[in-house]
Amino acid sequence: MTVPPLTSTTEHRGIDAAFPEVRETPAPSPWSPSRGAPPAPDERPEPVLAMANIQGNIVAGFNKDFQTLLYYHIDDASRFKPAIAKLSHLVATAEEVLTFNRLFKQVANRRGYPGTLSSTWINVAFSFAGLAKLRNDAGLFADQSFQSGLVGQALALGDTTDPGKWNVKDGDSDDAADVLIIVAADTEADVEAEVKRVKELIEEAGGATQLGHDEKGKNRSKPMAGHEHFGFLDGISQPGLRGRASDDPTDLLTPRQNPQDRSQGKPGQELIWPGEFVFGYPDQDASRDGNERGGDSSIDGAGYPRVPNWAGDGSYLVFRRFRQDVHEFHKFLQAEGKARGVSAELVGARLVGRWASGAPVMRAPTQDNTELANNDCANNHFGFKEQTERIAGGASSECPRDIFSPAGADPNGEVCPYTAHIRRANPRDDIAPAIRRRHRLLRRGICFGESSASTPDAPSKDAAERGLLFLAYMTSIVDQFEFITKEWLNNSDFPGKGAGVDALLGQPGKSWVVPTGGGYYFAPSVFALKVVLSR
């Protein structure tokens, strides 16, 4: 499809790249070699994770429609420690959450709806400053960004807002949030009841002050459930986890549903070694033993500890509070669509890399396809650089035969632009698998604020604040979250010179997504909460 160059007076970095006419293949960055041969199936035994010791939002994910974040500043560590001991008994484990999620899916699949099945979950995390108040060995956390906090890294991440004016922040100031508590449930009433329980528990113990208001996140109402406030379906391309939940060799954390590629869960869902997200398990570091199944993620390549010896089964948690300007975003889509003679929806699809429904432009280049969007065996099955063949399906697979148009090769970014958000956040075959798999996140975010009446075809403005509570787990803030932000989203020369920055989130520059809070935290194991941090 031929589209005219930018003519609108509305300017935004990345929009011309989102509508290329003729592009040359960019020279590859020195740290981003070509894809190479497809990964071979990996049939080696996978580790059993200590599911009863890992907090549940890390591995299994809460997947709740209502979540409230509570922020606390530790005033007196000795008084607050008894509260940690009591909280440890309320914390949801990965074993509990995974068991519930499986049952929920089973009941919903059989009945056609989940009935009254519900649960309430709590998880807890601490900033570096908070851990330093509780322990004298916090300095053993080797991740320098964790030590400096998000406040200390904001400038390097390209943030255009002053962290001192954020709604919530980490760091060592008197108004910094040392503790982040996540409360999640299926109903708003259940969340409120559990939040009340947590507050009373902490108030009884003393030693900590709640900061600000209860941060209420919630899934949007149908038909926009699962969509962020700009209107796009979110969370489609989560990585799968290697590893097992028990000694049963078939009890895999991520079922293998691609009958043609055992290196994936569902088609297009890469399997990542659990040490990339939880300390104490094999990671993707190929330098350890010559393959991608690296060593213990608690130890660096030189054999030195990356975390204290009590940090096993824990994970770093990056929290970002983003305000979204829905009116300005939709107004931009409308203006650019009119200027280019295309729909506002198409402009948005090329900026994001997916239609609002979730259908990828690589498989639906010019028109939305809701049937494709609703098929999770097809909506994530595509590459960028090379053509992707359709899945034939199989009797032993939950994925039937793929009937949708396959994704063709797009080495020049003519179908899915280099600036498209999904191409920057997860470059797929634009770079080598061994590099790509070391920079993935387990995202657990949720919207906040009421939905807007605005649409791309009819932008409207109101005074309400809305946005995203971005939550993601990993074992290296530097090599995962910050690498993605600096080297992929904000790097105008990725995947090659002159490619441009991420059209949606790239900084610096005009953006419809503005950080208004956040912090770097560590979510310890249940054992560490009960025995280490509470004494």
Side-chain angles (χ1 to χ4, degrees):
M1 180 180 71
T2 302
V3 293
L6 179 66
T7 57
S8 169
T9 55
T10 305
E11 294 185 358
H12 192 282
R13 74 284 178 277
I15 185 62
D16 279 329
F19 284 88
E21 293 182 87
V22 178
R23 296 183 60 99
E24 296 181 358
T25 304
S29 302
W31 46 269
S32 302
S34 60
R35 181 187 184 191
D42 194 334
E43 303 293 347
R44 289 168 293 175
E46 301 191 17
V48 177
L49 275 66
M51 301 292 283
N53 198 36
I54 300 171
Q55 294 199 50
N57 203 28
I58 302 172
V59 172
F62 285 165
N63 298 326
K64 296 299 186 187
D65 287 343
F66 297 90
Q67 297 189 38
T68 292
L69 308 187
L70 303 175
Y71 316 124
Y72 281 90
H73 181 82
I74 300 175
D75 303 308
D76 185 331
S78 62
R79 292 179 61 199
F80 184 63
K81 285 184 177 183
I84 298 176
K86 292 180 179 179
L87 280 171
S88 70
H89 296 284
L90 303 182
V91 163
T93 69
E95 180 181 53
E96 295 165 346
V97 176
L98 181 63
T99 299
F100 176 87
N101 289 351
R102 287 173 170 177
L103 178 60
F104 188 94
K105 181 179 180 181
Q106 180 183 5
V107 171
N109 287 343
R110 186 178 68 84
R111 297 180 180 178
Y113 69 99
T116 57
L117 196 62
S118 64
S119 61
T120 304
W121 307 128
I122 294 173
N123 271 186
V124 183
F126 302 86
S127 70
F128 175 77
L131 290 175
K133 294 178 181 180
L134 299 169
R135 297 282 302 177
N136 60 13
D137 60 354
L140 294 179
F141 283 95
D143 193 303
Q144 292 301 305
S145 290
F146 177 59
Q147 292 197 19
S148 65
L150 179 57
V151 166
Q153 296 297 111
L155 183 63
L157 293 171
D159 286 2
T160 56
T161 54
D162 179 5
K165 298 178 181 178
W166 283 357
N167 295 51
V168 59
K169 59 182 179 291
D170 60 8
D172 55 8
S173 64
D174 291 339
D175 60 347
D178 299 323
V179 187
L180 171 61
I181 301 175
I182 305 172
V183 183
D186 298 281
T187 69
E188 191 168 16
D190 285 345
V191 165
E192 290 175 351
E194 201 72 354
V195 164
K196 183 174 182 289
R197 186 197 310 272
V198 170
K199 287 183 176 181
E200 289 175 349
L201 183 155
I202 294 176
E203 288 172 4
E204 181 182 351
T209 303
Q210 184 180 2
L211 302 174
H213 61 281
D214 299 354
E215 190 80 81
K216 296 183 178 181
K218 65 178 180 179
N219 190 9
R220 297 179 67 191
S221 302
K222 293 180 179 180
M224 299 304 293
H227 294 244
E228 49 73 52
H229 281 296
F230 290 149
F232 293 84
L233 187 64
D234 199 12
I236 300 173
S237 60
Q238 289 274 28
L241 271 176
R242 291 192 178 277
R244 292 177 287 143
S246 70
D247 291 330
D248 181 349
T250 66
D251 192 12
L252 299 170
L253 293 173
T254 301
R256 310 303 194 255
Q257 295 174 247
N258 186 340
Q260 295 173 207
D261 190 344
R262 291 281 294 175
S263 71
Q264 298 184 349
K266 284 184 169 67
Q269 182 186 33
E270 281 194 308
L271 297 175
I272 307 298
W273 288 97
E276 293 295 309
F277 310 113
V278 187
F279 284 107
Y281 298 95
D283 59 18
Q284 294 286 146
D285 191 349
S287 67
R288 308 288 179 95
D289 54 10
N291 58 55
E292 284 195 28
R293 186 185 188 279
D296 183 338
S297 59
S298 299
I299 309 297
D300 68 18
Y304 294 102
R306 299 170 60 198
V307 291
N309 58 11
W310 52 265
D313 290 328
S315 177
Y316 288 126
L317 168 61
V318 170
F319 164 50
R320 298 274 267 169
R321 187 185 190 275
F322 288 119
R323 183 178 68 241
Q324 294 176 253
D325 193 335
V326 176
H327 169 250
E328 286 298 319
F329 179 71
H330 286 166
K331 188 170 73 170
F332 178 83
L333 299 186
Q334 184 187 61
E336 290 302 324
K338 289 180 178 179
R340 297 169 182 276
V342 299
S343 69
E345 288 77 10
L346 177 59
V347 178
R350 293 180 72 80
L351 290 180
V352 175
R354 292 185 185 272
W355 295 86
S357 68
V361 296
M362 285 301 301
R363 303 195 67 174
T366 60
Q367 186 174 348
D368 196 1
N369 185 332
T370 55
E371 187 179 359
L372 167 63
N374 294 331
N375 188 319
D376 59 4
C377 288
N379 63 13
N380 198 39
H381 182 53
F382 61 91
F384 297 123
K385 194 173 183 180
E386 300 178 7
Q387 181 170 326
T388 305
E389 300 300 328
R390 291 183 292 190
I391 297 298
S396 62
S397 170
E398 291 186 25
C399 288
R401 183 173 65 89
D402 188 339
I403 62 173
F404 304 98
S405 298
D410 186 34
N412 299 327
E414 295 170 352
V415 178
C416 185
Y418 291 122
T419 54
H421 176 62
I422 69 166
R423 194 160 188 166
R424 304 312 289 262
N426 179 16
R428 299 180 187 248
D429 59 348
D430 278 339
I431 62 174
I435 295 176
R436 179 179 69 242
R437 292 170 185 160
R438 297 207 62 203
H439 307 294
R440 300 302 305 274
L441 310 171
L442 288 179
R443 292 175 292 127
R444 306 296 187 220
I446 191 168
C447 295
F448 73 86
E450 296 300 324
S451 291
S452 170
S454 179
T455 67
D457 291 326
S460 62
K461 189 173 185 178
D462 60 29
E465 185 189 36
R466 56 183 58 88
L468 177 70
L469 303 176
F470 173 90
L471 299 160
Y473 293 93
M474 65 212 72
T475 51
S476 175
I477 295 173
V478 171
D479 291 334
Q480 288 168 275
F481 171 74
E482 290 190 346
F483 181 95
I484 292 171
T485 302
K486 296 176 183 179
E487 301 297 341
W488 290 353
L489 301 183
N490 294 350
N491 183 359
S492 61
D493 291 328
F494 175 77
K497 189 172 180 60
V501 300
D502 184 307
L504 194 64
L505 294 180
Q507 302 283 348
K510 179 181 178 182
S511 180
W512 307 284
V513 182
V514 178
T516 58
Y520 291 159
Y521 294 88
F522 179 74
S525 68
V526 177
F527 171 83
L529 288 170
K530 288 182 178 180
V531 177
V532 179
L533 299 177
S534 60
R535 298 181 180 178

